[in-house]
Amino acid sequence: MMILLDNGHGGVIDGVYQTSGKRSPIWSDGSQLFEGVFNREITDRLYHLCYVHGIECEVIVPELEDIPLYERSKRINKIYKERKDAILISIHANGFSKESANGFSIYTSRGQTRSDEIARTISKEYLKEMTEFRMRGHKEAGFWMVKKTHCPAVLIECAFMTNERECKILMTEQDRIARAIFEGIIKIK
């Protein structure tokens, strides 16, 4: 099985975050989370865990630029055409206008597919490790990365970057977050 990792949104180039919006508020201690940076941190840790454990893995967006969704899905579909055993995991942090929004969500495309089994497995392992978060649900949506990719795909919203308590966990517990998702990968494999 090959794991394809999608680190949604851009990184930082020459001190400039590449994706408008997609960031936490600036908290009272001056800290702020940039979603694309967080996504890359988790993806890098997941890649390392897969590599160390002999699981074939590829990061879809090695660039720091914010690569458009159509290009990311094109890359994924090209790999899947050659490797029918590939699955996609797209990493994100959630945001909402009210700070009270909280929890972890995992999305798949609409209808029953292999992606649903993958989502259930990752969710179970994630919640075992990340007990600070409640499960908002396994949801079906028309998000580009789960709808326009041909392989089984899940989009993980690790928690809310717009909730100060959860954002602090996202900023400080990246090894645990990656390990929790990786444990799901192990169970799927």
Side-chain angles (χ1 to χ4, degrees):
M1 179 176 68
M2 180 178 203
I3 305 298
L4 305 177
L5 297 172
D6 171 55
N7 44 343
H9 312 300
V12 174
I13 300 174
D14 297 328
V16 178
Y17 181 48
Q18 299 299 298
T19 304
S20 62
K22 304 298 181 184
R23 65 192 75 200
S24 75
I26 298 172
W27 303 113
S28 58
D29 63 2
S31 65
Q32 183 175 35
L33 182 139
F34 294 95
E35 184 183 359
V37 174
F38 167 79
N39 299 344
R40 280 168 172 68
E41 288 292 328
I42 300 303
T43 297
D44 289 348
R45 285 170 167 79
L46 279 170
Y47 179 86
H48 177 75
L49 287 166
C50 286
Y51 177 80
V52 166
H53 290 88
I55 297 171
E56 195 172 358
C57 185
E58 186 168 334
V59 175
I60 297 304
V61 182
E63 306 93 335
L64 292 174
E65 291 82 12
D66 191 350
I67 302 300
L69 290 168
Y70 68 84
E71 176 60 30
R72 290 162 39 202
S73 61
K74 181 178 160 186
R75 292 176 186 184
I76 292 160
N77 292 336
K78 181 180 179 191
I79 294 167
Y80 186 65
K81 186 175 181 180
E82 298 170 12
R83 292 290 307 268
K84 294 296 184 187
D85 62 343
I87 66 169
L88 170 68
I89 300 173
S90 186
I91 304 295
H92 294 268
N94 217 339
F96 194 67
S97 57
K98 294 182 180 177
E99 187 180 343
S100 60
N102 64 83
F104 158 80
S105 301
I106 190 162
Y107 291 87
T108 60
S109 60
R110 293 185 174 96
Q112 285 294 89
T113 66
R114 179 152 184 259
S115 301
D116 296 304
E117 174 189 334
I118 293 165
R120 281 189 293 275
T121 303
I122 291 174
S123 294
K124 183 178 176 184
E125 297 305 314
Y126 191 86
L127 293 171
K128 268 190 212 175
E129 177 63 35
M130 301 307 300
T131 57
E132 301 95 327
F133 303 137
R134 72 178 183 88
M135 178 69 175
R136 291 179 57 85
H138 166 192
K139 302 175 180 190
E140 295 183 342
F143 293 150
W144 186 283
M145 294 310 288
V146 297
K147 181 179 177 183
K148 299 289 188 175
T149 52
H150 301 152
C151 63
V154 297
L155 186 148
I156 301 171
E157 294 282 8
C158 294
F160 277 82
M161 65 184 163
T162 50
N163 175 300
E164 186 171 9
R165 182 187 71 81
E166 290 191 353
C167 188
K168 298 296 181 167
I169 295 166
L170 293 176
M171 290 191 283
T172 60
E173 299 295 333
Q174 294 170 352
D175 284 334
R176 282 180 57 222
I177 292 166
R179 172 59 74 176
I181 296 167
F182 180 72
E183 289 300 323
I185 292 170
I186 292 293
K187 293 286 191 306
I188 294 162
K189 188 164 171 39

